[in-house]
């Protein structure tokens, strides 16, 4: 029998979907993805989730609502740590419990813990635990995971070659057969933020696509070399122990100091505690190196018209600055 596994198209979907897709498919399961985020998913998430949660967590609840009656299992792992000595945001740590306690009539939830804080062994145990749902053959589970890792490494290679996840995942989901690359983009814009804010086109109001239509080359932290990120983040006086914080601050520090970007747009969800620290670090560095910086804060009431106006003004300013201004601060 082939089980249907529901994967919400939200939060860490944008980091690990290709890995889980291969793993479950190798084990004979059928993946059911929720739709792209839309108004009714957002509304469902807002009504079922606690008010205090941030926007992406509310949206995640909406995706679960959409999937819950269509699948045999829901996949909501409990992500604690994905690298040694690093953590994820506390809201992700408690995600399965939050969902289970907020939404009624759920199918069984695969809420296995992923915790690489001290060693990789935990991951292998977690993988076997998930695989046991489909087979009692540990060898088969291990083989499926090895294959998934090797496909995931291929996906990571796409990112290393400058393909942003939103495009690479589309290839994996077979929405597109090839990747379009922009030619002759004179201006490079670094778009910062958590992957689930950047690449969810409903939440970001297609900001990346809008920049690309203006022939801007978009860079996101996911396509920056991990060696550079680690080198630049190690310059902070204190160790940054949030994995996403390391990626955002390390990538932006590298690109700012190397003068490799013409402007920075940070997309943040209202009420994100992590971002309040990260935005301060990035904006100070941008100011020091005279790189234009703007913050787009999103919440469930965000209007697209306001974001479009800010984006147009930002692009105009970048182009004007390039043509007319010489080393004058854009920060006033
Ligand atoms: S890092 Fe911020 S946006 Fe992400 S889950 Fe935590 S609070 Fe929400």
């Amino acid at each position: 029998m082939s089980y249907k596994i529901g994967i919400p198209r939200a939060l860490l979907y944008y980091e690990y979907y290709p890995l889980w897709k291969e793993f479950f498919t190798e084990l004979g399961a059928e993946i059911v993805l929720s739709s792209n985020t839309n108004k009714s998913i957002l509304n469902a998430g807002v009504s079922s989730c606690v008010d205090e949660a941030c926007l992406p967590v509310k949206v995640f609840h909406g995706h679960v609502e959409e999937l819950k009656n269509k699948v045999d299992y829901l996949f909501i792992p409990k992500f604690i740590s994905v690298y040694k000595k690093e953590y994820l945001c506390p809201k992700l740590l408690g995600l399965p419990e939050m969902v289970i306690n907020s939404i009624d009539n759920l199918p069984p939830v695969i809420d296995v813990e992923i915790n690489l804080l001290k060693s990789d062994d935990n991951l292998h145990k977690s993988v076997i635990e998930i695989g046991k749902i489909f087979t009692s053959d540990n060898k088969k589970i291990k083989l499926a995971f090895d294959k998934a890792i090797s496909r995931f490494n291929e996906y990571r290679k796409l990112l290393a070659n400058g393909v942003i996840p939103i495009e690479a995942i589309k290839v994996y989901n077979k929405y597109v057969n090839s990747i379009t690359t922009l030619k002759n983009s004179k201006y490079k814009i670094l778009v910062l933020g958590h992957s689930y804010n950047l690449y969810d086109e409903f939440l970001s109001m297609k900001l990346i696509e809008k920049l690309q239509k203006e022939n801007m080359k978009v860079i996101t932290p996911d396509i920056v070399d991990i060696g550079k990120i680690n080198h630049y983040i190690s310059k902070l006086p204190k160790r940054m122990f949030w994995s996403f914080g390391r990626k955002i601050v390390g990538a932006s520090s590298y690109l700012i100091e190397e003068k490799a970007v013409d402007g920075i747009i940070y997309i943040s969800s209202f009420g994100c505690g992590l971002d309040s620290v990260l935005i301060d670090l990035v904006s100070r560095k941008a100011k020091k190196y005279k790189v234009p910086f703007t913050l787009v804060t999103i919440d469930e009431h965000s209007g697209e018209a306001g974001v479009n106006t800010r984006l147009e003004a930002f692009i105009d300013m970048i182009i004007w600055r390039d043509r007319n201004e010489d080393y004058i601060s854009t920060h006033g």
Side-chain angles (χ1 to χ4, degrees), residues 23 66 68 114 176 253 291:
F23 179 56
E66 195 201 73
K68 70 177 187 183
I114 310 285
V176 291
S253 297
V291 177

Side-chain angles (χ1 to χ4, degrees), residues 158-303:
L158 282 179
L159 307 190
N161 285 327
V163 180
I164 56 177
I166 198 169
E167 288 164 345
I169 284 185
K170 279 178 186 168
V171 174
Y172 265 74
N173 283 341
K174 307 220 177 352
Y175 298 148
V176 291
N177 296 319
S178 62
I179 293 156
T180 48
T181 45
L182 289 176
K183 292 195 176 76
N184 306 322
S185 311
K186 184 171 182 194
Y187 303 105
K188 296 189 188 73
I189 306 294
L190 173 61
V191 183
L192 286 177
H194 300 282
S195 55
Y196 35 85
N197 286 334
L198 302 190
Y199 307 127
D200 184 319
E201 294 183 329
F202 182 82
L203 293 187
S204 71
M205 292 168 257
K206 297 196 173 174
L207 190 137
I208 289 178
E209 192 183 309
K210 285 171 185 164
L211 284 166
Q212 288 171 332
K213 278 189 180 152
E214 294 294 330
N215 210 25
M216 301 272 152
K217 162 89 178 150
V218 172
I219 300 172
T220 66
D222 297 284
I223 64 173
V224 176
D225 176 65
I226 188 71
K228 301 280 187 206
I229 290 177
N230 286 336
H231 173 69
Y232 279 81
I233 198 70
S234 69
K235 294 184 181 185
L236 284 182
K238 275 190 177 175
R239 182 180 159 80
M240 168 85 67
F241 52 81
W242 294 313
S243 292
F244 293 162
R246 291 177 66 84
K247 187 160 75 169
I248 291 170
V249 176
S252 58
S253 297
Y254 160 58
L255 293 166
I256 292 170
E257 287 187 31
E258 294 298 319
K259 298 189 174 30
V261 284
D262 299 291
I264 301 172
I265 301 176
Y266 198 120
I267 306 177
S268 170
S269 36
F270 179 74
C272 172
L274 209 63
D275 274 351
S276 59
V277 177
L278 305 182
I279 290 165
D280 187 54
L281 288 169
V282 176
S283 63
R284 278 172 195 240
K285 169 108 9 181
K287 188 171 182 179
K288 184 173 169 196
Y289 284 82
K290 299 186 172 67
V291 177
F293 174 91
T294 194
L295 173 65
V296 174
T297 305
I298 49 174
D299 67 13
E300 49 265 53
H301 310 294
S302 293

